[in-house]
Amino acid sequence: QVQLVESGGGLVQAGGSLRLSCAASGRTFSRSVMGWFRQAPGKEREFVAAISWSGGSTYYADSVKGRFTISRDNAKNTVYLQMNSLKPEDTAVYYCAAHSRGSYYHGGAYNYWGTGTQVTVSS
């Protein structure tokens, strides 16, 4: 079993940066693909980014490509999401998740989820 706790959210002006962290417990973390998703008020949850267990492969939604960077430190059981050039439309609750099976881009493929951290970008 994996437990996930996100941190690092907050209020930032447009154009600013934030780094989210997701601390994981559980023996399977280092072997799991990890993902970040977000959900804005009134909208469906959407994929943001994912990273392979080794960190050698990363995947991004088109909306964040070139602005966000996902990384991981398996020694610290932590996955990160560096968010630069933030826009008001990035405002959402951000969740990290551990992948089980299926497409990395679909939330249904992840079987463990954190409780989320709020990111608010003001214009």
Side-chain angles (χ1 to χ4, degrees):
Q1 190 167 351
V2 177
Q3 293 182 325
L4 306 171
V5 179
E6 303 94 337
S7 62
L11 174 63
V12 64
Q13 289 187 334
S17 298
L18 283 174
R19 188 176 83 154
L20 305 184
S21 299
C22 173
S25 63
R27 297 180 180 179
T28 60
F29 171 81
S30 62
R31 295 182 177 271
S32 297
V33 170
M34 297 296 296
W36 285 96
F37 288 75
R38 67 186 182 186
Q39 186 167 20
K43 295 187 177 181
E44 293 187 353
R45 181 180 60 194
E46 64 174 357
F47 170 80
V48 176
I51 187 167
S52 65
W53 67 269
S54 68
S57 297
T58 55
Y59 312 85
Y60 296 96
D62 288 341
S63 58
V64 307
K65 206 169 290 184
R67 300 188 298 122
F68 290 12
T69 302
I70 189 171
S71 62
R72 68 190 295 163
D73 185 339
N74 287 340
K76 295 182 178 180
N77 277 12
T78 302
V79 62
Y80 305 97
L81 185 68
Q82 177 67 44
M83 306 185 295
N84 298 330
S85 302
L86 282 162
K87 305 175 181 180
E89 51 263 44
D90 294 317
T91 295
V93 177
Y94 283 70
Y95 301 89
C96 71
H99 179 263
S100 176
R101 61 181 64 187
S103 170
Y104 300 151
Y105 297 88
H106 295 158
Y110 294 74
N111 58 344
Y112 294 107
W113 293 82
T115 57
T117 185
Q118 176 71 48
V119 171
T120 303
V121 184
S122 63
S123 56

